[in-house]
């Protein structure tokens, strides 16, 4: 739809003037010719991410001052046009946008809600590699009060910021394609007042440089990463660095208030990362570790290479969970939020596997404990294979998701089950996954018809027989 004289929308009969973007439930609407869609196409989150291009790399050159809460800088985004583009969108929440360029030439832009529409001087042909640069500044504001997600995004703290963005809070600190279906590489150049540490993903590319009372930290993440796993957590931190027993770089950082947790965090993170590599396959990234900040958002987040624990000293269970996400969620990422159990069910099952490995409760015992939840329990009413946008992190996605894996393990046996976990990782390393791909691989490896099992555990709003 969307011809020159305007078109009539069959659903509403309204006339959509040409050049206008009629908001549609799927986030696309009637777009002017050659416009990239304002959503990537996730029906549960229609305006998240964008269409028409694929990001290859972000280069974020940012300065932040905790005293004034002012952030300013430039985001350089290298991308490939997947269609002809007369205009395209980035996601950005708040800030004043200064200059926008495309391939070095000034571009026009428009803003509406959290959509930043960039209009290059001349259309980008399909297949073109292009660079867009956005200069912006302002006070970052986290996302708050959105259904049951709590506070997330760039969260200012007393001495810096706690930056945890799942599901769609990256837009609170940089413009981009804010949906897990577009992974990219990242470079960060972060300037903060001297004495503050800036922790981003991947590795420091050199020693921090201090000049005129300010320190610049350069980090880079050389493995594909989704936007919600990017971080620039800032503050006073005590660090411990080294390598795990198997040789993986390990960095633990804690707010001074959690000084007493540093060695435990460092040691457990190393030990658990090494163990997961024997169960799930080689560690996908360049380093492991964890960060404890003096701020509670009420959760932890598996930020790539640097899981973040908000205001508490993490125990083995949650460290096992966040590190399992480095495989499930970070290396293998979901294309649509409805498949979230592929992250959370697996990370929860990993907690049970870690306990089993420690000689504590077996996964079978843990499964039985949860299975005993009465018929009226929320986990039986919520089908975990279809995570809901208004209740994304429901307990069912975690617990019943984990139970689904145990029911599968019972059905196909340990040998096929653990081969499945490794093959799943090997086949989709650094890529995207769907529930259908997982159930198909489980059937292939086991040679069993598993439709009934997956249907009962993932898709029925009732307690499965066990
Ligand atoms: N993925 C995180 C975990 O289970 C949970 C993140 C919750 N995010 C939120 N905005 N509430 O480890
Ligand atoms: Zn999790």
């Amino acid at each position: 739809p969307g011809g020159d004289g305007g078109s009539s929308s069959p659903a509403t009969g309204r006339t959509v003037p040409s050049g206008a973007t009629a908001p549609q439930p799927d986030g696309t609407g009637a777009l002017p010719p050659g416009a990239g869609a304002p959503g990537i196409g996730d029906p549960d989150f229609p305006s998240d991410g964008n269409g028409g291009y694929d990001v290859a790399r972000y280069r974020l050159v940012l300065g932040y001052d905790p005293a004034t809460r002012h952030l300013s800088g430039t985001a350089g985004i290298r991308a490939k046009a997947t269609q002809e583009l007369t205009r395209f969108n980035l996601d950005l929440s708040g800030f004043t946008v200064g200059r926008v360029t495309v391939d070095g030439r000034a571009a026009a832009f428009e803003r509406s809600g959290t959509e930043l529409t960039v209009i290059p001087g001349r259309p980008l042909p399909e297949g073109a590699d292009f660079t867009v640069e956005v200069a912006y500044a302002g006070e970052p504001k986290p996302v708050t009060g959105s259904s049951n997600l709590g506070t997330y995004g760039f969260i200012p703290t007393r001495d810096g910021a706690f930056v945890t963005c799942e599901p769609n809070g990256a837009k609170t600190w940089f413009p981009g394609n804010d949906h897990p279906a577009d992974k990219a590489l990242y470079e960060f150049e972060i300037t903060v007042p001297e004495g503050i540490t800036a922790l981003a993903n991947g590795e420091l590319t050199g020693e921090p440089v201090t000049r005129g009372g300010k320190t610049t930290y350069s980090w880079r993440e050389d493995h594909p990463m989704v936007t919600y796993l990017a971080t620039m957590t800032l503050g006073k931190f005590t660090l411990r660095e080294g390598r795990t027993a198997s040789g993986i770089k390990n960095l633990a950082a804690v707010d001074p208030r959690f000084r007493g947790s540093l060695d435990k965090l460092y040691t457990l993170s190393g030990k658990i990362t090494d163990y997961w590599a024997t169960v799930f396959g080689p560690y996908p990234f360049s380093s492991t570790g964890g960060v404890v900040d003096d701020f509670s958002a009420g959760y932890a987040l598996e930020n790539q290479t640097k899981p973040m624990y908000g205001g508490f000293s993490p125990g083995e269970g949650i460290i096992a969970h966040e590190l399992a996400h480095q495989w499930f969620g970070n290396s293998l990422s979901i294309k649509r939020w409805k498949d979230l159990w592929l992250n959370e069910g697996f990370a929860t099952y990993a907690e049970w596997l870690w306990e089993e490995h420690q000689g504590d409760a077996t996964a079978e015992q843990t499964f039985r404990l949860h299975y005993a939840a009465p018929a009226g329990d929320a986990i039986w009413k919520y089908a975990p294979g279809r995570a809901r946008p208004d209740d994304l992190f429901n307990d069912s996605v975690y617990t019943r998701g984990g139970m689904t894996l145990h029911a599968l393990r019972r059905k196909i046996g340990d040998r096929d089950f653990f081969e499945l976990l490794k093959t799943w990782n090997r086949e989709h390393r650094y890529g995207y996954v769907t529930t259908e791909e997982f159930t198909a691989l489980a059937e292939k490896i086991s040679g069993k018809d598993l439709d009934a099992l997956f249907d009962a555990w993932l898709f029925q709003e009732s307690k499965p027989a066990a």
Side-chain angles (χ1 to χ4, degrees), residues 36 91 99 110-111 171 173 179 250 327 340 433 452 466:
D91 303 306
R99 192 177 148 80
E110 291 166 4
R111 302 199 67 187
K171 62 171 69 64
W173 62 286
H179 187 281
N250 187 10
W327 285 260
L340 186 60
V433 287

Side-chain angles (χ1 to χ4, degrees), residues 166 300-302 321-322 325 328 343-345 347-348 351 393 398:
E166 192 180 20
L301 183 67
E302 62 267 21
H321 179 112
E322 305 310 331
H325 274 309
F328 305 105
N343 296 2
E344 301 303 348
T348 300
E351 293 179 46
F393 298 99
Y398 286 69

Side-chain angles (χ1 to χ4, degrees), residues 99-108 118-124 131-133:
R99 192 177 148 80
V100 178
T101 63
V102 174
D103 290 332
R105 278 185 288 271
V118 178
I119 307 149
R122 49 179 102 133
L124 296 159
T131 302
V132 49
E133 250 186 47

Side-chain angles (χ1 to χ4, degrees), residues 30-84:
L31 297 169
I40 205 167
D42 189 330
D44 290 323
F45 292 85
S47 62
D48 282 11
N50 306 286
Y53 63 91
D54 184 31
V55 178
R57 179 183 290 275
Y58 292 92
R59 179 171 163 73
L60 306 175
V61 180
L62 302 173
Y64 185 73
D65 182 357
T68 60
R69 296 193 170 183
H70 186 77
L71 183 141
S72 66
T74 306
I77 303 166
R78 286 203 52 75
K80 186 187 271 301
T82 54
Q83 62 173 70
E84 189 209 20

Side-chain angles (χ1 to χ4, degrees), residues 365-382:
Q365 287 168 326
T366 307
F367 172 89
R368 287 188 187 184
L369 194 79
H370 291 295
Y371 191 75
D377 196 277
I379 65 171
W380 307 130
K381 283 183 283 188
Y382 186 120

Side-chain angles (χ1 to χ4, degrees), residues 148-342:
N148 63 346
L149 298 171
T151 300
Y152 62 98
F154 188 105
I155 308 170
T157 60
R158 199 173 27 81
D159 60 359
F162 181 72
V163 182
T164 49
C165 298
E166 192 180 20
N168 52 15
K171 62 171 69 64
T172 66
W173 62 286
F174 66 93
N177 198 11
D178 196 8
H179 187 281
D182 189 1
K183 296 193 194 198
L185 311 184
Y186 286 71
E187 287 172 54
F188 306 87
E189 198 179 297
I190 302 165
T191 302
V192 287
E194 189 175 356
I196 298 297
T197 300
L199 299 164
N201 312 86
E203 309 311 315
L204 275 176
T205 57
E207 286 299 310
V209 178
T210 301
R211 212 177 287 126
K214 288 182 173 182
T215 306
T216 300
Y217 293 81
S218 299
W219 292 89
R220 59 189 292 161
E221 173 54 63
D222 279 332
H223 297 98
M225 179 166 78
V226 306
T227 49
Y228 74 75
L229 297 169
T231 192
M232 61 174 278
T233 287
L234 316 172
K236 294 199 167 70
F237 286 103
T238 310
L239 271 51
R240 180 169 168 191
E241 287 174 86
R243 286 185 186 269
T244 72
S246 83
I248 301 165
K249 284 179 78 171
N250 187 10
L251 169 63
V254 299
D255 181 280
R257 193 158 84 79
F258 292 92
R259 180 66 188 82
S261 307
L262 181 64
D263 289 339
K264 183 180 164 200
L265 175 67
Y266 175 86
T267 306
L268 279 174
S269 300
K271 214 164 92 174
I272 294 171
T273 302
D274 280 348
Y275 179 61
W276 287 155
T278 71
V279 182
F280 306 142
Y283 185 65
F285 305 121
S286 52
S287 64
T288 186
V291 179
V292 181
D293 202 356
D294 181 17
F295 174 83
S296 176
Y299 55 82
L301 183 67
E302 62 267 21
N303 286 337
Q304 193 152 307
T305 68
K306 288 178 188 62
M308 220 130 282
Y309 305 94
F312 62 94
S313 172
E316 307 210 357
I318 195 154
I319 294 176
H321 179 112
E322 305 310 331
L323 290 173
H325 274 309
Q326 305 304 311
W327 285 260
F328 305 105
N330 300 11
S331 172
L332 278 60
S333 304
I334 52 174
K335 248 189 218 142
R336 296 294 175 251
W337 284 108
K338 69 178 170 62
D339 289 333
L340 186 60
W341 84 280
L342 292 175

